[in-house]
Amino acid sequence: MDQRVSLCKRRGFVFQSSELYGGLQGAYDWGPLGTELKNNLKAAWWQSNVFERDDMEGMDSTILTHPRVLEYSGHVTTFVDPLVDCRKCKSRFRADHLASASCPNCGGQDLTEPRPFNLMFRTQMGPVDHEGALAYLRPETAQHIFMNFKNVLDSTARRPPFGIAQIGKAFRNEITPRNFVFRVREFEIMELEFFVDPGTDENWHEYWVDTRLQWWERQGIARDRLELLDVPESDRAHYSKATVDLMYPFPHGLEELEGIANRTDFDLGSHTRDQEALNIQAQVRENTHSGAKLAILKPNSSDWYVPFVIEPSVGVERATLAVLNEAYDIEQLDNGKERVVLRLRPHLAPFKAAVMPLKRNHDGLVSKAREIKNLLQRLGLGRVFLEASGNIGKSYRRHDEVGTPLCMTVDFQSLEDDSVTVRDRDSMKQIRKQVSELTEFMTEFYRRPSHA
Ligand code: GAP
């Protein structure tokens, strides 16, 4: 983990939030390269789950959440972790993370009994602090998808099976945030709620596990790097009938990367007021008063039914950490030296290409390099970087370390015959290309199935 954390800080992927004031625990800022990587990963998720499908809509909801939403979703009562205090040093821990009955901080044996601690962040809406002003920062994006189920139905004429996808911030007041960006208090979630007819839910659950495994493969995480965990009932969220976790060997151990849950009709049922009118035994619950009927009218019938929901959900921070970890390689070179290379899939790389003038202070070389950079930038493939440090060897090493798939060097020959040297990150092979060929070369490179 230390090597990855050091690379992330040194090269501008991730920084501790508010570091100048000692750091905000469980909160990280994404630097120039981390932002590009994270955006590329989110774009890859949106591309496969929204653009490439004919049964999905996207949405983007508020972070501020009405307290009733989280009451009826069950979060106010059940979104809790067991908290223990050390009476000696006053540290606090998650009881289920303790390896023994002693305090991991001071070794003391005097721990309190575990008590439930709600992970949701509360805030106040408006200038007056009273109970009616209470709002929560959403702990998942899912509830807002359920809140908009009817709006999306009415505005798109969808019927199950179909899904609604969302990427956005979520907040959890974790008792012990840890392992770098693995467990944090503010993070982004990429999740989708896929609405299906009851009775077809188990098949759809299997379908989504399989689909998500294929997606991970395209992000550079091979099938044999992920283990499937059928989460036992005692560990499942209150809404889940079955959950399969995709477990990845993070540097600190095998842990959940993504969860794929069968949420049944729990949430739509809970938010629906007129439960009995639905005439479906499983959905009849007390205290459900949103005033809306989040249900579907059966074709040619006056009967309603509440769809079941399959939900693949993954944190962007965890996903980025897994992708970074998988790509990190220390290669032994023939000359006995080592090179650190981030073998990111090209579509995820923060820089799609670096254009490097051989000399930093040579106007002709620098302006030629800038011209090429601008040309390639206009292809819309992602960020192209003008690397004008003037030290080509060092620049190659830096770009290997941050995963830039292609480096293009502008030298004195370039000024004579309009050609550049193109170096491939993985093979380190160099070829000479005419500038007029670069547009097609780079477009073709990024279209290769293994790169897209
Ligand atoms: N809507 C379903 C849901 O929120 P979850 O298993 O609690 O399910 C989904 O969270 C995903 O969000 C997890 O698989 C993980 O990738 C990520 N995640 C959860 N808590 C996190 C945290 N404190 N820090 C970073 N990522 C987190």
Side-chain angles (χ1 to χ4, degrees):
M1 183 70 105
D2 290 348
Q3 282 171 325
R4 275 68 166 168
V5 175
S6 147
L7 172 80
C8 282
K9 183 161 183 195
R10 202 160 25 89
R11 294 302 190 193
F13 283 90
V14 183
F15 308 121
Q16 174 74 56
S17 180
S18 308
E19 197 174 13
L20 293 185
Y21 289 100
L24 190 61
Q25 225 203 343
Y28 288 88
D29 297 332
W30 290 80
L33 298 198
T35 302
E36 298 299 339
L37 171 57
K38 208 154 82 110
N39 284 344
N40 292 340
L41 195 61
K42 288 189 281 183
W45 188 92
W46 199 262
Q47 171 75 23
S48 338
N49 289 304
V50 183
F51 292 171
E52 290 175 9
R53 300 186 65 97
D54 298 319
D55 55 5
M56 195 76 68
E57 302 291 345
M59 65 164 286
D60 185 19
S61 71
T62 61
I63 287 168
L64 291 168
T65 307
H66 195 297
R68 290 296 93 70
V69 172
L70 295 158
E71 266 169 46
Y72 295 126
S73 71
H75 283 79
V76 172
T77 46
T78 62
F79 199 58
V80 290
D81 277 337
L83 172 74
V84 291
D85 291 274
C86 171
R87 290 197 181 89
K88 193 170 161 207
C89 72
K90 309 292 177 217
S91 302
R92 296 185 139 179
F93 306 98
R94 245 177 87 165
D96 55 334
H97 284 175
L98 287 179
S100 70
S102 46
C103 169
N105 190 39
C106 70
Q109 304 283 320
D110 196 7
L111 300 180
T112 60
E113 282 301 305
R115 62 184 190 285
F117 173 77
N118 194 294
L119 299 184
M120 288 196 295
F121 279 95
R122 294 158 65 100
T123 189
Q124 157 204 328
M125 297 275 281
V128 186
D129 186 8
H130 59 91
E131 201 35 43
L134 170 68
Y136 291 100
L137 305 186
R138 65 184 181 203
E140 59 171 6
T141 69
Q143 290 309 321
H144 291 264
I145 296 182
F146 301 131
M147 286 297 105
N148 283 286
F149 174 74
K150 197 166 168 353
N151 291 333
V152 175
L153 272 192
D154 292 349
S155 56
T156 64
R158 291 278 184 193
R159 288 188 57 81
F162 82 99
I164 306 178
Q166 177 161 215
I167 301 178
K169 289 271 187 183
F171 298 82
R172 297 184 187 181
N173 198 4
E174 297 283 353
I175 297 169
T176 42
R178 57 184 177 175
N179 295 321
F180 194 36
V181 296
F182 177 82
R183 188 178 304 285
V184 284
R185 290 184 169 134
E186 174 176 343
F187 57 102
E188 282 185 279
I189 285 194
M190 308 188 273
E191 66 188 356
L192 63 91
E193 310 302 316
F194 200 76
F195 303 97
V196 303
D197 287 347
T200 64
D201 51 307
E202 290 178 11
N203 284 345
W204 277 109
H205 195 196
E206 275 175 33
Y207 164 87
W208 275 106
V209 171
D210 199 43
T211 303
R212 295 300 301 143
L213 288 169
Q214 289 173 31
W215 184 82
W216 281 111
E217 192 124 34
R218 295 199 294 281
Q219 314 319 311
I221 300 190
R223 175 64 190 87
D224 61 6
R225 295 284 285 158
L226 291 170
E227 272 182 35
L228 298 189
L229 173 73
D230 211 342
V231 181
E233 191 176 355
S234 54
D235 292 343
R236 287 204 296 265
H238 59 280
Y239 49 69
S240 167
K241 159 180 162 183
T243 297
V244 174
D245 280 350
L246 309 188
M247 308 290 286
Y248 173 77
F250 286 96
H252 62 275
L254 186 70
E255 291 241 35
E256 173 188 343
L257 169 61
E258 167 161 358
I260 303 159
N262 182 342
R263 285 183 88 128
T264 68
D265 55 356
F266 180 88
D267 302 271
L268 291 183
S270 263
H271 292 304
T272 296
R273 177 175 58 93
D274 202 2
Q275 297 289 309
E276 264 106 344
L278 295 171
N279 196 22
I280 302 167
Q281 205 185 6
Q283 284 101 43
V284 179
R285 293 191 181 87
E286 290 176 1
N287 299 329
T288 49
H289 281 282
S290 76
K293 190 184 271 189
L294 304 182
I296 304 274
L297 194 56
K298 285 187 184 160
N300 309 318
S301 153
S302 53
D303 290 343
W304 293 82
Y305 74 97
V306 177
F308 271 42
V309 172
I310 307 301
E311 178 199 62
S313 174
V314 56
V316 180
E317 280 69 6
R318 255 180 225 194
T320 310
L321 184 60
V323 159
L324 270 171
N325 183 56
E326 204 60 18
Y328 187 87
D329 187 23
I330 300 179
E331 185 183 339
Q332 303 298 326
L333 301 174
D334 292 343
N335 61 9
K337 293 192 175 156
E338 304 186 319
R339 76 166 178 143
V340 175
V341 52
L342 207 54
R343 297 189 191 281
L344 291 169
R345 288 289 166 103
H347 69 284
L348 297 179
F351 298 138
K352 300 300 165 216
V355 186
M356 308 172 172
L358 187 65
K359 292 207 177 298
R360 187 169 44 172
N361 296 323
H362 190 287
D363 288 348
L365 292 174
V366 174
S367 75
K368 182 81 194 161
R370 181 167 290 117
E371 196 184 294
I372 295 170
K373 185 254 164 182
N374 290 342
L375 171 81
L376 299 178
Q377 190 61 76
R378 282 196 291 273
L379 296 177
L381 295 166
R383 188 166 180 198
V384 178
F385 190 70
L386 181 68
E387 176 65 74
S389 73
N391 184 330
I392 299 298
K394 254 193 186 164
S395 298
Y396 282 161
R397 278 200 294 286
R398 167 176 138 81
H399 282 280
D400 284 345
E401 216 183 358
V402 301
T404 310
L406 299 170
C407 288
M408 304 182 181
T409 304
V410 177
D411 53 19
F412 290 107
Q413 192 185 329
S414 312
L415 300 182
E416 284 166 20
D417 65 4
D418 213 28
S419 69
V420 292
T421 301
V422 179
R423 175 185 181 269
D424 181 272
R425 176 195 72 196
D426 293 336
S427 65
M428 292 193 288
K429 287 213 172 92
Q430 301 191 11
I431 49 172
R432 202 78 195 172
K433 286 264 166 213
Q434 289 301 120
V435 172
S436 59
E437 296 172 309
L438 288 181
T439 296
E440 200 188 327
F441 170 77
M442 207 161 131
T443 311
E444 190 277 327
F445 180 89
Y446 279 96
R447 265 206 212 119
R448 285 181 207 162
S450 56
H451 290 180

